[in-house]
Amino acid sequence: MAFIINVNLPQQSYEIVIGGQGTAPQVAMLPEEAAQRAIAQGAQALLIAPESIDQLGEMMSNLKLGKKVLLVSNPTIFKHYGERVLTSLEAAGFEVVNCNLSAGERYKTLNSVQKIYDTALLNRIERSSTMVALGGGVIGDMTGFAAATWLRGINFVQVPTSLLAMVDAAIGGKTGVNHPQGKNLIGAFHQPRLVFIDPEVLKTLPVREFRAGMAEVIKYGVIWDAELFAQMEASKRLDQLRYVKAELIESILTRSCQAKADVVGKDEKEAGLRAILNYGHTIGHAVESLTGYRVVNHGEAVAIGMVAAGQIAVKLGMWQKEEAERQDALIQKAGLPTKLPDGVDIEAIIEALQVDKKVQAGKVRFVLPTQIGVVTVTDQVPSDTIRQVLQEMSFKV
Ligand SMILES: NC(=O)c1ccc[n+]([C@@H]2O[C@H](COP(=O)([O-])OP(=O)(O)OC[C@H]3O[C@@H](n4cnc5c(N)ncnc54)[C@H](O)[C@@H]3O)[C@@H](O)[C@H]2O)c1
């Protein structure tokens, strides 16, 4: 069985199909053949059943793409799944070239994208060709940016392999790279033709990366889906895939993708609502970039940012302390940090907030919760409140 989620965008709607057993609210459940039919009829994005990675080529052939495919991955992920994906694409008649980039956020740079362009040039990747991202959010963001810019835009398919990329990065069409001075400062909106999720690949995802993905899932609980939040609260553990019940994993995937699809469908280019997806990211990004993308990963930084935003909301009288504590307890249950990493300078964080993409007219915008499942966006946060919260979150106090 498979799930379909509609992503309604003004110019390009698409559907997401998620494989799994049972039903999830708001998500239509389809037998696999119906999912195939949906694709054949022009559904643009698909998440499909466990062990489905071998069907990628078949699914892509329904999209009527050109013959050439540039498969972008990193050596670790390629070792696990590269051959299977190559075999599947070639069996479906695609001519595939592969470009593996160094793994890690610190390689999410224009230099790495240049390697994709070089491979594209060498192998004559054309307007009708497709770039396929096989990897986590780093590979997805860079491949999407290369696809958005190569020959002014070619087809793009996401095969997310990390939990974070499955529930967040692969959906919604934001692509880009980091500038040495700030995260994701260079980028473009470019929607994938297909998002293809095989939940089985999570089995090889390192535990720390699974936890990082849980940070974004907790984010959806706080900003959008109180029921998802409650389901996670009811789970004994959230810190490792093998301790989380299959039904909860299914709910995590479907509800998170639904939340992202709902928000992006209402506001593709972040004119307003989409900004709520940045919950926890304002301070999170500053922490990530100040530690050189080496100390905390993206999800851990978001966890720290959510704790900070929650505390700011409490101090401003916008959120009940008890609810903030419930959020922090969930973050801890997922094995994520709630304190600032050692040695991060609080004033440097406050300064770094100024180069964040979310600054408007010189004012830093914060997404702050008002109740679990509901947030608001404000630029009325005094620096002193930020400072105080960060001091309380520092190990030195
Ligand atoms: N475009 C968006 O809307 C959006 C949204 C959220 C995050 N992001 C971006 O996503 C990035 C973070 O993504 P991430 O957390 O996936 O990190 P990542 O891409 O660095 O992947 C994390 C690590 O897990 C490994 N890995 C991934 N899948 C694996 C698997 N199945 N088996 C074994 N190893 C596996 C990777 O090789 C990597 O070392 C950040 O750059 C962030 O800015 C983008």
Side-chain angles (χ1 to χ4, degrees):
M1 299 301 262
F3 295 103
I4 287 200
I5 297 171
N6 289 309
V7 183
N8 294 311
L9 301 174
Q11 292 179 352
Q12 185 195 14
S13 292
Y14 57 79
E15 288 174 330
I16 298 170
V17 184
I18 303 181
Q21 303 296 316
T23 43
Q26 307 170 56
V27 179
M29 204 168 76
L30 285 191
E32 208 171 288
E33 314 82 69
Q36 298 246 20
R37 263 201 315 279
I39 297 269
Q41 287 161 7
Q44 305 274 318
L46 168 81
L47 319 184
I48 204 165
E51 300 295 353
S52 62
I53 204 156
D54 303 304
Q55 293 164 35
L56 177 67
E58 198 182 326
M59 287 294 160
M60 277 176 55
S61 61
N62 289 326
L63 293 175
K64 304 190 173 50
L65 307 162
K67 277 227 162 314
K68 288 191 176 176
V69 167
L70 200 171
L71 175 66
V72 184
S73 194
N74 75 29
T76 315
I77 297 163
F78 195 85
K79 201 175 82 202
H80 286 299
Y81 308 107
E83 285 306 327
R84 282 171 68 184
V85 166
L86 270 176
T87 306
S88 159
L89 289 169
E90 285 170 358
F94 290 105
E95 284 168 26
V96 193
V97 289
N98 169 231
C99 171
N100 281 340
L101 304 171
S102 304
E105 183 71 36
R106 63 184 177 283
Y107 294 103
K108 193 174 137 182
T109 59
L110 282 174
N111 248 346
S112 298
V113 172
Q114 180 70 44
K115 289 187 185 147
I116 306 180
Y117 295 147
D118 291 346
T119 312
L121 185 72
L122 197 68
N123 295 282
R124 299 181 194 280
I125 293 296
E126 306 159 356
R127 281 305 286 274
S128 64
S129 308
T130 305
M131 290 191 188
V132 175
L134 174 68
V138 167
I139 291 296
D141 278 10
M142 286 196 291
T143 310
F145 184 65
T149 46
W150 182 251
L151 305 179
R152 298 196 179 85
I154 67 167
N155 299 310
F156 169 43
V157 167
Q158 287 269 25
V159 188
T161 59
S162 69
L163 177 61
L164 190 142
M166 288 179 186
V167 299
D168 190 355
I171 305 163
K174 274 193 185 178
T175 72
V177 295
N178 301 327
H179 184 277
Q181 301 294 309
K183 213 178 131 59
N184 294 338
L185 289 179
I186 305 156
F189 285 97
H190 191 56
Q191 294 294 341
R193 295 289 307 277
L194 178 71
V195 180
F196 191 97
I197 296 181
D198 179 351
E200 292 290 314
V201 305
L202 292 176
K203 288 191 175 145
T204 56
L205 185 69
V207 169
R208 190 174 171 194
E209 300 303 339
F210 176 76
R211 295 174 180 174
M214 286 304 299
E216 301 284 1
V217 178
I218 294 169
K219 176 189 82 176
Y220 291 123
V222 177
I223 66 168
W224 196 253
D225 189 342
E227 197 176 321
L228 174 61
F229 190 97
Q231 287 176 357
M232 288 190 285
E233 269 186 323
S235 173
K236 215 166 180 180
R237 292 183 66 164
L238 289 174
D239 56 332
Q240 289 190 48
L241 179 69
R242 61 193 167 121
Y243 296 127
V244 183
K245 288 201 175 106
E247 306 87 73
L248 182 57
I249 290 295
E250 183 182 296
S251 190
I252 280 171
L253 288 174
T254 54
R255 296 189 80 107
S256 300
C257 289
Q258 181 79 57
K260 179 111 190 211
D262 285 350
V263 173
V264 171
K266 291 191 168 82
D267 176 22
E268 184 188 4
K269 299 271 166 77
E270 202 165 318
L273 181 71
R274 188 168 178 165
I276 70 169
L277 296 173
N278 295 325
Y279 177 56
H281 288 57
T282 311
I283 285 173
H285 278 174
V287 170
E288 229 182 328
S289 98
L290 282 170
T291 51
Y293 305 108
R294 282 165 200 269
V295 179
V296 289
N297 63 28
H298 181 69
E300 290 163 350
V302 169
I304 293 165
M306 290 194 291
V307 173
Q311 289 307 314
I312 289 170
V314 170
K315 283 205 193 306
L316 295 179
M318 297 166 66
W319 203 22
Q320 285 177 3
K321 188 167 168 269
E322 296 68 34
E323 288 210 341
E325 283 167 1
R326 282 172 61 197
Q327 169 195 263
D328 297 357
L330 211 51
I331 290 171
Q332 268 174 337
K333 188 156 71 171
L336 289 158
T338 54
K339 294 274 182 198
L340 285 180
D342 239 354
V344 186
D345 179 23
I346 290 172
E347 290 311 314
I349 295 182
I350 292 174
E351 210 171 292
L353 295 179
Q354 298 301 325
V355 293
D356 196 272
K357 288 195 304 319
K358 291 167 279 297
V359 171
Q360 258 182 13
K363 292 198 162 180
V364 184
R365 287 189 306 155
F366 274 90
V367 181
L368 300 180
T370 54
Q371 63 183 75
I372 286 167
V374 183
V375 283
T376 186
V377 182
T378 176
D379 60 7
Q380 300 297 314
V381 179
S383 293
D384 277 347
T385 308
I386 305 173
R387 192 170 283 116
Q388 202 186 338
V389 162
L390 293 175
Q391 271 158 2
E392 287 167 10
M393 287 176 63
S394 152
F395 276 112
K396 291 187 200 86
V397 285

